[in-house]
Amino acid sequence: MTLPSDNSTIGVLVVDDHAVVRRGVVAYLDALRNVEVAGEAANGREAVDLLESLKVRQQPLPRVALMDLMMPKMDGVEATAEIVKRFPAVRVVILTSFGEVERIHAALANGAAGYLLKDAGPSEVAAAIYAAANGDVYLDAAVARRLAQKMRSPHSGVAGLTSRERDVLVLIAEGRSNREIAAKLVISERTARTHVSNLLGKLGLHSRTQAVLVAMREGLVDPPR
């Protein structure tokens, strides 16, 4: 579990339509190091409106939104897409009871930076929040295994990557940041970003999370156990 690289406090917006669940999550987050609860919302619409209000008043936005999936007015998948589009500095981590592959795919495709099931342990929730704040992704081990097993296997384009791009893909799948990739390969961080952008484009992917799944599917790295 890696704390924020700048050792700053992570503001977290808790979004769940069940008040009892929100209170439980808030109580747990209050005890975490470098984390503070920045607000609560009972559905996706409330979450988006709250973020818009903070933006208009030029107040700091939370760095992470801990988001349920099934909610009235606006569900977690739609809210994730809206937040990623309008508030790109806010990273969304899904925390839900639903682990169906279709729901997982929808959330990740819309830009979620993490996906946890509600039976995840406290350490996993903390790890997901810290990872999101550091610009990384975090998948519940059970979710990652399910996705790796269920993904279809059309040609992914991995064969079309250069050897350096394949190296970068493996490092992404290991959870390395652009800075860590640069250090590992002895290249500049700007060059690392370029390699990441190029390989995502070649693979037709939109996020590092999707790249992780492709790397697992292609056998470049092992799925979490």
Side-chain angles (χ1 to χ4, degrees):
M1 186 165 19
T2 304
L3 292 173
S5 53
D6 56 4
N7 204 37
S8 60
T9 299
I10 306 168
V12 178
L13 172 62
V14 180
V15 189
D16 196 294
D17 59 327
H18 294 99
V20 172
V21 174
R22 287 201 310 275
R23 283 197 294 270
V25 173
V26 167
Y28 168 68
L29 295 180
D30 282 340
L32 280 182
R33 182 181 172 190
N34 290 76
V35 171
E36 66 177 11
V37 176
E40 299 178 43
N43 56 65
R45 173 49 58 197
E46 280 189 19
V48 171
D49 289 346
L50 175 59
L51 293 173
E52 181 62 31
S53 176
L54 291 172
K55 183 178 179 180
V56 168
R57 288 182 282 143
Q58 298 185 324
Q59 294 185 349
L61 295 176
R63 289 167 68 180
V64 177
L66 202 55
M67 179 87 63
D68 189 18
L69 273 189
M70 301 302 290
M71 298 178 291
K73 297 185 179 179
M74 180 185 285
D75 66 22
V77 171
E78 184 179 354
T80 296
E82 192 78 4
I83 290 170
V84 168
K85 178 181 178 181
R86 294 171 55 182
F87 314 100
V90 181
R91 305 269 288 172
V92 179
V93 174
I94 301 297
L95 179 63
T96 182
S97 301
F98 298 92
E100 294 90 343
V101 171
E102 292 76 16
R103 297 184 192 277
I104 299 168
H105 273 303
L108 296 179
N110 279 354
Y115 200 107
L116 294 170
L117 300 180
K118 283 185 176 176
D119 60 0
S123 62
E124 292 176 282
V125 177
I129 291 172
Y130 294 146
N134 284 329
D136 298 325
V137 298
Y138 188 96
L139 296 179
D140 183 297
V143 167
R145 285 196 300 271
R146 197 169 302 174
L147 285 174
Q149 291 165 358
K150 294 291 185 180
M151 283 182 71
R152 296 177 182 176
S153 55
H155 182 62
S156 65
V158 170
L161 299 180
T162 65
S163 60
R164 179 48 58 91
E165 287 167 348
R166 286 173 67 92
D167 291 341
V168 171
L169 178 59
V170 169
L171 293 172
I172 290 173
E174 291 175 354
R176 308 292 185 97
S177 66
N178 287 342
R179 180 177 298 177
E180 291 169 331
I181 291 171
K184 180 74 174 177
L185 300 179
V186 196
I187 57 178
S188 70
E189 189 171 351
R190 183 173 184 177
T191 300
R193 285 198 300 270
T194 298
H195 284 313
V196 171
S197 177
N198 288 345
L199 74 86
L200 290 178
K202 287 183 178 181
L203 298 175
L205 307 177
H206 303 289
S207 71
R208 296 170 82 100
T209 303
Q210 292 174 317
V212 172
L213 298 176
V214 168
M216 288 192 297
R217 186 185 70 196
E218 296 295 317
L220 299 178
V221 295
D222 293 326
R225 297 185 181 278

